[in-house]
Amino acid sequence: MQDITILGIESSCDDTSAAVIRNGYLLSNVTASQQVHEEYGGVVPELASRAHQQNILPTVDAAIKRAGVKISDISAVACTLGPGLMGSLLVGVSFAKGLCVSLGCPLISVNHLQGHILAHFIQEEGKERSVPEFPFLCLLVSGGNSQIVRVNSYKDMEIIGKTIDDAAGETIDKCSKFMGLGYPGGPIIDRLARQGNAKAFSFNKPHIQGFDYSFSGLKTSFLYYLRDRMSENPDFIEQNKADLAASLERTVVEVLIDKLSKAVKATGIRRVAVAGGVSANTALRQAFVARHQSRTWQTFIPPFGYTTDNAAMIAMAGYFKYQDGDFCPLDKPAFSRIAI
Ligand code: KG4
C-alpha cells in the first residue's frame, strides 16, 4: 500500500499551524501563536493576517523537517478554507494553493469546525487512543462557537443545537476582560478557578428551548453584578477574583452539560465527545470524566494539544478526504462563514 502523507495548514484566526500526518499517524504539529493581540484584549484581524504572513513559511518548513519527510513525499495539502477571519484564511489558503501548483499535488479544503471534531481520530505512534464509533455527539466549544453536533460519519455532521448569541469561550473571555485579567481569558479563569469556591456566587442561567445555547444573559448578569458590587467596594474584584472565576466557570459548564444531557436523552446516543478551545477547561473535562466513570456516557476528551487551533486536526480531516478523492479546485475561495 502506498503511503498517504498529508500536509495540513491552519490559519483561520491567530495561530499559524502546520502538521504532517502519514497514514493517519501524526508525524509533526508546529504552531506559531501571536502575542501581538494581548495588549488589545482580543484578536485584531489586520495584525493577525500580517503575523500569518511572517510565520507561514518557517512554520511549514519546521513541520516538514520535524516529520522527517521530503517535500516531494507529500500526497496532498489540506488547508482550512473557513470559517474564520478572511485576512487570516487568505494567507494559509494562498500558501497551500501555491504549494500544490509547485508540487503538482491536489488541494483539500477543510472546514475548521469539522477539523476540531476529527481531531478525535488522530493517532500517535506508541500512544494509540480509542476513537468514537459513529454516530456520536460532539460538544464543540470555542471562542466563536458553541454547538452540539451529531456526527454520523467523517463527512456527515449535523448541528442539532447552537448558540443563539455569544459562544461559551467568548463569554469567558469578555468576563475575564471585565475583571481586568489578561487575554485570552479562558486559561486565566481556569487557573484562578482552581483556587476558588465555585458556589460563592450565582449568575443567571438561560432558559432556551431545544438544544440551543445562549450566553449573553449570563455575561450581562456577571457584568452587572460586578458593577453593582464595585460601586460599594472598589476592591471587590481583587478580593474575590478566584471565587468569581470558579463561580463563572461552574455556571458555564452547567449550562453546557445540561443541554448536552438533554441531547443525549433525546437522541439515545451515549457516545459523547468534546472539542474546541474551551475543551481544555479543567471543570468541563472533569464533568466529562464524571459521566464516563458513572457509565452515564462513553466520553472522548481530546489531548490538550488538539483542543485549541492546530493543523494536526486539519491534516487528519484531509487524510479522510484524500481517501474519498474529495479534492478542491484551485480557484475555490476562502469563506469567513460556513456551516459545518
Ligand atoms: O478553538 P479555539 O482555539 O479558537 C477558536 O475560537 O476557533 O478556542 C479559543 C477559546 C478562547 O475563548 C479561549 O479563552 C478558550 O478557547 N479557552 C479556554 C481554555 N483554554 C482556551 N476556555 C476555558 N478554559 C480553558 N482552559
Side-chain angles (χ1 to χ4, degrees):
M1 196 188 75
Q2 211 180 352
D3 285 330
I4 301 174
T5 307
I6 307 291
L7 169 69
I9 295 179
E10 155 65 32
S11 71
S12 64
C13 189
D14 60 340
D15 289 311
T16 320
S17 186
V20 177
I21 279 195
R22 176 168 282 171
N23 304 329
Y25 278 77
L26 185 71
L27 300 184
S28 67
N29 184 30
V30 179
T31 302
S33 303
Q34 305 177 359
Q35 267 72 44
V36 65
H37 309 287
E38 270 170 28
E39 64 177 289
Y40 301 97
V43 177
V44 182
E46 180 56 31
L47 296 180
S49 61
R50 277 191 231 162
H52 280 304
Q53 283 175 347
Q54 284 172 350
N55 293 340
I56 189 90
L57 187 57
T59 306
V60 170
D61 193 43
I64 291 170
K65 284 197 178 116
R66 268 187 222 174
V69 299
K70 294 197 292 292
I71 194 146
S72 54
D73 294 338
I74 291 168
S75 317
V77 180
C79 74
T80 304
L81 206 68
L85 298 172
M86 188 48 89
S88 292
L89 287 166
L90 281 176
V91 178
V93 172
S94 309
F95 191 89
K97 286 178 177 174
L99 206 52
C100 288
V101 171
S102 70
L103 296 175
C105 72
L107 174 73
I108 298 174
S109 68
V110 176
N111 177 310
H112 178 79
L113 302 176
Q114 289 197 355
H116 270 302
I117 295 173
L118 295 177
H120 281 281
F121 294 89
I122 300 170
Q123 294 293 1
E124 288 176 70
E125 201 80 48
K127 292 192 213 165
E128 279 78 0
R129 299 183 296 137
S130 60
V131 301
E133 264 174 50
F134 298 115
F136 64 92
L137 296 181
C138 186
L139 173 68
L140 180 54
V141 267
S142 66
N145 294 279
S146 298
Q147 302 177 338
I148 300 176
V149 183
R150 183 190 157 114
V151 187
N152 298 317
S153 72
Y154 301 120
K155 48 187 174 183
D156 177 13
M157 303 187 191
E158 186 190 341
I159 299 170
I160 61 170
K162 61 180 184 318
T163 180
I164 58 165
D165 41 55
D166 297 342
E170 184 184 359
T171 303
I172 297 175
D173 290 342
K174 285 197 178 141
C175 292
S176 152
K177 190 173 176 184
F178 197 75
M179 286 171 69
L181 307 172
Y183 175 86
I188 302 169
I189 292 284
D190 192 343
R191 265 197 309 278
L192 271 174
R194 307 282 62 79
Q195 301 141 32
N197 172 8
K199 295 273 166 71
F201 304 106
S202 295
F203 305 108
N204 281 356
K205 282 196 197 168
H207 300 282
I208 306 288
Q209 293 296 308
F211 307 132
D212 284 343
Y213 287 113
S214 165
F215 286 101
S216 68
L218 166 61
K219 185 183 68 186
T220 312
S221 140
F222 187 82
L223 300 188
Y224 283 4
Y225 184 78
L226 291 194
R227 191 194 58 187
D228 294 347
R229 302 305 296 264
M230 293 280 284
S231 66
E232 298 155 6
N233 170 13
D235 296 328
F236 178 76
I237 294 178
E238 191 50 41
Q239 288 164 359
N240 295 281
K241 57 183 183 195
D243 288 351
L244 285 165
S247 303
L248 172 70
E249 181 189 75
R250 172 184 60 80
T251 314
V252 171
V253 171
E254 281 175 3
V255 172
L256 291 172
I257 295 286
D258 285 354
K259 272 293 159 79
L260 197 50
S261 303
K262 212 171 156 186
V264 169
K265 277 203 191 102
T267 59
I269 300 171
R270 291 177 51 255
R271 285 177 294 275
V272 190
V274 60
V278 182
S279 69
N281 181 263
T282 310
L284 184 58
R285 292 169 90 91
Q286 282 169 351
F288 265 70
V289 169
R291 268 154 193 79
H292 195 88
Q293 283 170 344
S294 65
R295 298 181 189 274
T296 322
W297 302 344
Q298 186 189 3
T299 62
F300 299 87
I301 306 171
F304 277 108
Y306 310 143
T307 54
T308 45
D309 292 347
N310 65 88
M313 67 188 197
I314 302 304
M316 193 67 218
Y319 174 69
F320 292 128
K321 282 194 156 189
Y322 186 91
Q323 287 168 304
D324 287 343
D326 185 356
F327 302 128
C328 176
L330 288 180
D331 59 357
K332 193 164 178 185
F335 292 99
S336 56
R337 285 176 178 272
I338 38 175
I340 201 150

